[in-house]
Amino acid sequence: MKITGAKVFVGGPGKNYVTLKIMTDQGVYGLGDATLNNRETLPAAYLNDYLIPNLIGMDPRNSEDIWQFFYRGAYFRRGPIAMAAFAAIDMALWDIKGKLANMPLYQLFGGKSRDGALVYAHATGSDLSDLKDSIRYYIDQGYKAVRVQCGIPGMPTAGYGVAETKGDVANYITDFSGIKPKVEIWDTDRYMRYMPDALMDIRDHFGPDLKILHDVHHRLTPREAAAFAKSVEPVGLYWLEDPTPAEDQDALKMLRQHSTVPVAIGEVFNSVWDCNKLIEQNLIDFIRVSVTYAGGITHVKRIVDLAGLHNVRTGFHGAPSHSPISMAAQAHLNAWAPNFGIQEYLVLGTPECDALFPSDHKLQNGMFQVSDGAGLGVDFDESEAERYHFKAGSHPIVRLEDGTMWDY
Ligand code: GCO
Ligand code: MG
């Protein structure tokens, strides 16, 4: 069996999805997602210029060797661009394998460990009252877990994860008005003074059963993160996400010495080498990698297995920048993983997205029901894809009030 060709598509409804389609001499094809949010054309160029010309003629069933060929063969290893490009190839090869076996991917991993996978949504409000409306909306939809992000009184701009318009949840991450980023202003003192009480208010208002998650988005120093974690302990958070910048793995030691609040980290990690220490030293409770940014199913499965040995559960990244293809790959891992925790989930649901990526995966009552279709269980409509093209956009950047650059 041989790979005969591969194509990369960039575009989608309100997103620059990077979709890879790998064709074979037996008519079976596979799909992968290389969407690196805000830098989408770069994995696409890597695929087109280096990886696809090497793929042609390879046996698609040898997904492990192909992964090693590209990873080891590059010499200059890792990094989000390369790992997203490898990820798309890897997802597509697993998709082909599942289709050849006529089985959903979770069967190839070891079968189902649960009926449905718990997901969380993003609630957001420019103030606490708007945030409560947003949380109520998700509870009424059947969600059992919600990430809560709130505007901070006196902060000049909205703060991380807070939509500018009420009710707008999906599109606040990328601003498509141009390639130059908007500037947000951050004030740690105001955040630290306001947010713990706001979280406690949410707990009191919604009661003990709601799983409440909160994302700090890398904005605190290790000491501030430890103090913050200690002060939110009475809230009983399901997790505190990215309390410190992710590069410094030792930063979490101070937080661990002062608090037992569950910590989730890893959406910016590309490999097991970015998180093995965090996992082995029990510095985190949830690993947040995604199949797109961390090298695909083959590599993420290794991370999940390492995490399982140390009682670290999964909480895969699922921001709306991921296409339904990588969300499907994660859904199969979630159905199987003995150490599954929760899945961030926002991507599906618009008619345009469903038309571009038809699938039988379903969300019901805050639980993700994986499709029993062969392979990934998601398709890609190339004629629909012709409606879309790359649009320049950017994340905001963050500065302190005096102009100092800060972490987005
Ligand atoms: C999350 C993340 C995202 C990131 C985004 C950057 O927890 O979902 O923090 O919202 O900001 O993925 O591209
Ligand atoms: Mg996050």
Side-chain angles (χ1 to χ4, degrees):
M1 187 173 184
K2 282 192 174 16
I3 293 171
T4 49
K7 293 192 261 188
V8 183
F9 305 81
V10 183
K15 300 281 156 201
N16 291 315
Y17 295 131
V18 181
T19 306
L20 173 71
K21 181 170 183 175
I22 295 183
M23 282 76 73
T24 68
D25 58 357
Q26 296 190 12
V28 182
Y29 60 87
L31 299 169
D33 177 22
T35 310
L36 179 61
N37 201 25
N38 288 275
R39 296 291 185 269
E40 296 90 350
T41 53
L42 303 180
Y46 193 17
L47 282 160
N48 281 321
D49 295 349
Y50 294 93
L51 305 177
I52 291 174
N54 275 292
L55 266 180
I56 312 288
M58 285 180 168
D59 185 333
R61 294 168 299 184
N62 296 335
S63 48
E64 180 68 58
D65 183 64
I66 292 174
W67 196 94
Q68 301 290 338
F69 175 90
F70 286 128
Y71 181 81
R72 292 174 184 235
Y75 184 63
F76 299 102
R77 292 180 185 178
R78 297 155 59 182
I81 298 165
M83 293 302 258
F86 301 166
I89 293 172
D90 187 70
M91 278 179 238
L93 299 182
W94 276 97
D95 192 23
I96 290 170
K97 207 184 294 294
K99 286 172 178 167
L100 291 174
N102 197 22
M103 284 182 188
L105 281 193
Y106 68 77
Q107 289 293 4
L108 304 187
F109 304 153
K112 268 192 190 177
S113 302
R114 58 195 53 79
D115 296 329
L118 178 70
V119 307
Y120 72 89
H122 285 190
T124 148
S126 55
D127 60 28
L128 198 48
S129 152
D130 274 6
L131 174 57
K132 283 181 182 161
D133 290 348
S134 175
I135 298 170
R136 172 59 57 200
Y137 168 82
Y138 287 111
I139 293 174
D140 291 347
Q141 306 274 309
Y143 283 86
K144 298 157 185 60
V146 190
R147 185 189 87 166
V148 304
Q149 305 298 128
C150 189
I152 308 294
M155 192 118 89
T157 54
Y160 169 72
V162 178
E164 277 175 14
T165 328
K166 190 171 176 181
D168 181 10
V169 287
N171 280 317
Y172 58 85
I173 295 172
T174 302
D175 166 24
F176 284 108
S177 61
I179 206 78
K180 294 202 174 167
K182 281 192 181 154
V183 181
E184 287 182 358
I185 305 296
W186 175 253
D187 181 333
T188 299
D189 292 343
R190 283 201 173 96
Y191 172 79
M192 299 262 294
R193 279 199 303 270
Y194 184 73
M195 205 60 213
D197 288 346
L199 290 169
M200 199 61 224
D201 189 319
I202 290 165
R203 170 60 75 212
D204 290 342
H205 189 84
F206 291 100
D209 290 336
L210 181 66
K211 292 179 172 49
I212 301 173
L213 297 77
H214 179 64
D215 191 347
V216 183
H217 225 250
H218 325 272
R219 302 223 173 144
L220 301 180
T221 65
R223 190 208 58 78
E224 290 161 353
F228 188 83
K230 203 157 103 175
S231 66
V232 299
E233 244 172 34
V235 179
L237 288 180
Y238 186 80
W239 81 31
L240 184 68
E241 178 176 339
D242 287 330
T244 55
E247 295 94 332
D248 182 3
Q249 301 204 355
D250 286 331
L252 293 171
K253 282 185 183 156
M254 190 180 295
L255 189 154
R256 284 304 219 203
Q257 281 158 10
H258 292 277
S259 165
T260 55
V261 71
V263 174
I265 202 161
E267 64 186 43
V268 299
F269 294 163
N270 318 127
S271 79
V272 69
W273 307 111
D274 298 323
C275 54
N276 61 326
K277 197 158 126 187
L278 292 173
I279 291 170
E280 287 159 2
Q281 296 182 8
N282 248 284
L283 294 175
I284 56 171
D285 300 276
F286 294 90
I287 181 70
R288 292 270 295 136
V289 288
S290 69
V291 290
T292 314
Y293 304 153
I297 292 168
T298 295
H299 194 69
V300 166
K301 203 165 167 303
R302 294 208 160 94
I303 297 176
V304 173
D305 281 331
L306 176 69
L309 297 179
H310 298 276
N311 290 303
V312 173
R313 291 190 285 161
T314 62
F316 293 146
H317 187 234
S321 43
H322 293 294
S323 93
I325 295 172
S326 60
M327 293 307 287
Q330 297 193 158
H332 287 282
L333 288 168
N334 291 338
W336 152 78
N339 52 327
F340 168 75
I342 196 167
Q343 171 67 57
E344 181 180 29
Y345 181 81
L346 296 97
V347 75
L348 299 182
T350 69
E352 294 82 7
C353 196
D354 291 346
L356 185 59
F357 299 102
S359 90
D360 292 328
H361 296 287
K362 282 190 187 61
L363 184 72
Q364 276 165 347
N365 276 328
M367 305 291 283
F368 196 94
Q369 309 293 340
V370 68
S371 156
D372 283 325
L376 287 168
V378 55
D379 210 346
F380 178 66
D381 186 328
E382 286 183 49
S383 56
E384 273 291 311
E386 283 169 18
R387 298 173 52 190
Y388 304 108
H389 55 273
F390 173 76
K391 283 201 310 199
S394 180
H395 283 144
I397 55 142
V398 176
R399 291 185 185 276
L400 304 182
E401 273 174 298
D402 70 357
T404 306
M405 266 303 281
W406 208 245
D407 293 280
Y408 170 64

